[in-house]
Amino acid sequence: MMKRFCFIALLTGFALSAWADRNEAEDGIVTLKSGHAAIAIDTQKGGKVLSLKYDDKEVISQSRFPESFGSTFWTSPQKEWNWPPVSEFDKQPYQVKEQSDKRLVIASNPSQRLGMSVAKDFSLGKQDGSFVVTYSIKNEGSEARSVAPWEITRVPNADGLIFFEVVDSIWPTGLMTFTEANGASWYATDDAQQNRKINADGKGWLAFAGNGLLLVKAFDDLKAGEPAPGEAEIQVYVNRGKSFIELESQGAYKLLQPGESLSWTVRWFLTPTAETQPSASLVKTVKKLIK
């Protein structure tokens, strides 16, 4: 993980250059709208979600530093590629396969290193106001490979709450302060001067409340033994200081024969909230959204 931390701490000049490059790609940005909410995807820069807004309120990190903004997708386990993220999946252009005002389907080039390709299918949820993102991983190589899907959504580390249900425990212990209340585990964002990451076996959802918004991500609830080796269904990474946080979720680790694919779906919900403290009503809102 030290390579990751050093990379995030690049000089400001390089960060501003990356931001400029990102802005120059506006022709590749596609926006889907669902009621008051809008999601913007940059097809030319790794297929990243650059923005998720409810009216004029933003929930996605808009940091100018590399690897600190937007929502991206990686393959798991990380030990297969270490750091930095695989360029074909995280940085390079995706091909637009289908586009309308209700759906966007894009596909990466195959990774020369991993022998896999990634596809992303963004669509509007039926009658529930959600955005539905289905990720696919295809084995483009000549040998069987095991892999799991991994979504990484970066939010600002402003005053906010991260919460989810925990089956057993959160590990490593002592890195971040979680409190148990109302049937969930809660972490109030802080500005400690160190990078931290925790893992948990959850119950198929992960939520963030901040800036007057509630973001809920719903996904498959994994059973014991289903995550990739050394990984977990839910992960939270907190960058040092009041910078950004990664809300991470992973799907099941599967063996893919040559030419085979797996798919994994995450539903995103975004709704206003005035609540800033752990509460039964926040948990109730989550359960109502994902039912």
Side-chain angles (χ1 to χ4, degrees):
M1 295 301 293
M2 288 302 297
K3 292 183 179 180
R4 170 192 178 119
F5 299 156
C6 292
F7 191 76
I8 290 173
L10 288 173
L11 296 176
T12 302
F14 288 104
L16 293 176
S17 174
W19 183 256
D21 290 343
R22 174 181 149 198
N23 285 343
E24 288 172 3
E26 289 183 351
D27 288 345
I29 297 176
V30 177
T31 300
L32 302 179
K33 296 182 179 179
S34 179
H36 292 267
I39 189 170
I41 302 104
D42 192 342
T43 64
Q44 296 303 298
K45 296 287 185 178
K48 284 188 176 71
V49 174
L50 295 185
S51 173
L52 180 61
K53 287 184 176 182
Y54 191 96
D55 292 334
D56 61 347
K57 288 187 176 182
E58 177 67 68
V59 75
I60 298 292
S61 171
Q62 300 295 300
S63 169
R64 296 189 176 191
F65 285 88
E67 320 302 345
S68 67
F69 63 86
S71 181
T72 189
F73 179 82
W74 300 335
T75 57
S76 177
Q78 186 173 346
K79 66 180 182 180
E80 296 290 331
W81 47 267
N82 197 17
W83 194 260
V86 177
S87 182
E88 290 90 347
F89 305 157
D90 190 71
K91 299 287 192 305
Q92 294 184 19
Y94 277 58
Q95 300 174 20
V96 176
K97 299 295 186 179
E98 181 179 338
Q99 182 178 343
S100 68
D101 59 352
K102 295 182 179 180
R103 190 180 184 195
L104 173 68
V105 181
I106 57 178
S108 77
N109 291 320
S111 164
Q112 298 302 310
R113 179 178 176 186
L114 296 183
M116 299 180 186
S117 62
V118 164
K120 304 179 183 182
D121 185 336
F122 299 88
S123 63
L124 306 185
K126 294 180 180 180
Q127 301 179 343
D128 62 6
S130 67
F131 293 102
V132 180
V133 190
T134 297
Y135 301 98
S136 301
I137 302 173
K138 182 178 180 180
N139 183 354
E140 303 277 5
S142 59
E143 298 180 357
R145 294 289 302 271
S146 293
V147 68
W150 185 4
E151 184 185 72
I152 302 91
T153 302
R154 299 168 180 131
V155 297
N157 188 348
D159 293 334
L161 293 170
I162 294 168
F163 59 106
F164 51 88
E165 291 180 283
V166 177
V167 173
D168 186 10
S169 62
I170 296 173
W171 73 94
T173 59
L175 288 183
M176 297 161 60
T177 302
F178 280 85
T179 58
E180 303 296 321
N182 308 116
S185 293
W186 306 77
Y187 165 71
T189 59
D190 58 49
D191 59 358
Q193 294 304 309
Q194 61 178 343
N195 304 304
R196 293 158 289 160
K197 184 171 184 175
I198 59 89
N199 306 275
D201 180 7
K203 292 189 178 180
W205 62 269
L206 174 59
F208 170 74
N211 192 31
L213 296 174
L214 173 63
L215 170 64
V216 181
K217 304 203 299 177
F219 37 84
D220 291 339
D221 182 8
L222 299 188
K223 301 179 178 64
E226 287 191 314
E231 304 287 349
E233 176 186 331
I234 289 175
Q235 298 174 316
V236 178
Y237 168 80
V238 180
N239 200 56
R240 68 185 63 187
K242 285 273 185 178
S243 49
F244 72 95
I245 292 173
E246 291 179 351
L247 308 178
E248 307 179 14
S249 51
Q250 297 197 19
Y253 188 58
K254 296 182 178 180
L255 177 67
L256 298 181
Q257 298 296 332
E260 284 190 333
S261 301
L262 65 78
S263 63
W264 177 65
T265 297
V266 183
R267 292 183 296 148
W268 295 28
F269 300 87
L270 188 65
T271 188
T273 183
E275 299 197 54
T276 60
Q277 300 296 323
S279 69
S281 59
L282 271 176
V283 175
K284 183 177 179 180
T285 297
V286 170
K287 297 295 184 68
K288 183 177 180 180
L289 288 171
I290 67 175
K291 68 179 181 180

